[in-house]
């Protein structure tokens, strides 16, 4: 796939690459949790995931589900309660501890030997394991492969210059027959520097199109009052399903 922009992108966004040099450090993400700048967290879970859950799970049981940049996503408990095994990665230890506390789950923690300074937090039931480390260090661990990936607030949070590296890590974690759900947001990137970053259709095809069938399942109006302070006047959320070619 080439990286050409679609006519739709060009028409709406004269400069889709305006954010390409934007960089947030891991420390800045950790600070967001400390200062409670976490409006991206959804206490009720994601409505599009609820709506398309059956399509995503296909009635299968005992799946391994991966949550990149998981924060304290309540959906992790949804999957665990349905008998699936959940693995997440998150740079903020605070977010991980809050997840277990808020979900009333007892847990243990242990160092990740392959990554100095990193830890893994495991629910006592054994079906939720959250790795506190840089996502790009994950391939050094024996994390295994996954049947499902739920990518909400992950690709859109990764620095644009790291998109290809991120996609390569994600695809390296997939098992045969995988289903990968991705949520991205669309808005005028000349008016907001991100995150969340604007990820156009052409970029999704560039990153995943060579190995995945890409289906846009739904797009919905996601504009909230708080977005006015970003200088934008609309935001559309798009849900994609990737399956193996």
């Amino acid at each position: 796939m080439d990286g050409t922009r679609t006519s739709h992108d060009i028409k709406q966004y004269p400069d889709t690459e305006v954010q390409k040099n934007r960089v947030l450090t891991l420390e800045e993400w950790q600070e967001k949790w400390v200062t409670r700048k976490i409006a991206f967290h959804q206490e009720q879970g994601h409505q599009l995931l609820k709506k398309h859950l059956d399509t995503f799970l296909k009635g299968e049981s005992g799946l391994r589900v991966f949550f990149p940049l998981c924060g304290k996503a309540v959906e992790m408990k949804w999957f665990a309660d349905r008998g699936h095994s959940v693995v997440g990665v998150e740079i903020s230890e605070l977010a991980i501890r809050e997840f277990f506390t808020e979900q009333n789950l007892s847990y243990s923690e242990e160092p990740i030997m392959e990554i100095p300074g990193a830890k893994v937090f495991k629910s006592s039931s054994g079906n939720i394991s959250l790795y506190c480390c840089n996502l790009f260090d994950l391939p050094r661990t024996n994390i295994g492969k996954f049947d499902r990936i739920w990518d909400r607030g992950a690709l859109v949070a990764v620095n644009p210059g790291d998109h290809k590296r991120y996609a390569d890590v994600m695809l390296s974690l997939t098992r045969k027959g995988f289903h990968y759900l991705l949520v991205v947001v669309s808005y005028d990137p000349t008016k907001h520097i991100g995150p969340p970053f604007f990820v156009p259709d052409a970029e999704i095809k560039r990153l995943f199109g060579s190995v995945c069938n890409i289906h846009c399942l739904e797009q919905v109006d996601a504009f909230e009052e708080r977005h006015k302070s970003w200088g934008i006047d609309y935001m559309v959320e798009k849900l994609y399903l990737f399956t193996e070619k």
Side-chain angles (χ1 to χ4, degrees):
M1 285 285 174
D2 62 24
T4 53
R5 296 179 287 170
T6 64
S7 59
H8 173 265
D9 288 335
I10 293 170
K11 181 180 174 184
Q12 282 198 294
Y13 316 115
D15 186 3
T16 57
E17 296 193 341
V18 68
Q19 297 173 334
K20 71 177 181 179
N21 296 320
R22 173 90 162 118
V23 173
L24 260 73
T25 65
L26 296 178
E27 291 73 24
E28 286 176 282
W29 281 108
Q30 289 169 317
E31 186 64 16
K32 285 180 184 291
W33 283 95
V34 172
T35 58
R36 313 316 291 168
K37 292 178 180 174
I38 54 169
F40 49 80
H41 174 67
Q42 297 185 332
E43 291 187 6
Q44 304 305 314
H46 201 283
Q47 294 307 306
L48 286 180
L49 178 59
K50 281 184 183 176
K51 180 176 178 179
H52 294 276
L53 197 57
D54 290 341
T55 302
F56 190 42
L57 294 177
K58 292 184 66 181
E60 296 180 42
S61 57
L63 297 169
R64 293 194 82 222
V65 185
F66 184 57
F67 278 67
L69 311 189
C70 61
K72 57 177 180 178
V74 300
E75 298 94 328
M76 294 190 286
K77 185 138 189 311
W78 296 358
F79 286 105
D81 286 348
R82 285 168 172 76
H84 304 296
S85 176
V86 173
V87 176
V89 62
E90 168 59 47
I91 196 61
S92 170
E93 185 172 318
L94 180 60
I96 291 174
R97 292 187 186 279
E98 286 183 9
F99 168 77
F100 286 111
T101 300
E102 292 173 11
Q103 299 300 327
N104 295 311
L105 296 171
S106 58
Y107 65 94
S108 61
E109 59 184 274
E110 58 190 65
I112 302 171
M113 304 314 296
E114 301 92 339
I115 308 172
K119 300 177 185 176
V120 59
F121 295 76
K122 297 181 179 180
S123 64
S124 299
S125 58
N127 58 352
I128 301 176
S129 299
L130 305 184
Y131 287 71
C132 187
C133 64
N134 184 339
L135 179 138
F136 294 119
D137 287 333
L138 261 193
R140 290 157 54 186
T141 70
N142 186 27
I143 198 170
K145 295 186 182 291
F146 296 90
D147 305 291
R148 301 289 186 272
I149 295 178
W150 168 239
D151 186 328
R152 182 260 160 185
L155 176 61
V156 297
V158 170
N159 295 326
D162 289 329
H163 279 175
K164 182 67 169 70
R165 187 159 65 124
Y166 173 86
D168 288 347
V169 170
M170 290 300 101
L171 292 171
S172 76
L173 296 176
T174 56
R175 268 184 188 161
K176 190 168 178 58
F178 70 86
H179 280 52
Y180 184 140
L181 274 184
L182 168 72
V183 177
V184 297
V185 288
S186 182
Y187 60 86
D188 183 346
T190 64
K191 294 182 177 177
H192 177 59
I193 57 173
F197 297 109
F198 167 60
V199 183
D201 293 352
E203 177 75 341
I204 292 170
K205 289 173 185 169
R206 181 182 77 87
L207 297 173
F208 298 100
S210 62
V211 294
C212 299
N213 297 308
I214 299 173
H215 309 277
C216 184
L217 296 181
E218 191 165 351
Q219 47 187 21
V220 296
D221 178 9
F223 188 77
E224 299 174 14
E225 189 68 24
R226 67 187 177 94
H227 295 139
K228 289 181 179 177
S229 66
W230 297 5
I232 62 175
D233 53 15
Y234 74 94
M235 177 178 282
V236 174
E237 203 167 43
K238 296 182 180 181
L239 178 70
Y240 290 89
L241 173 65
F242 302 158
T243 55
E244 191 175 25
K245 269 191 173 175

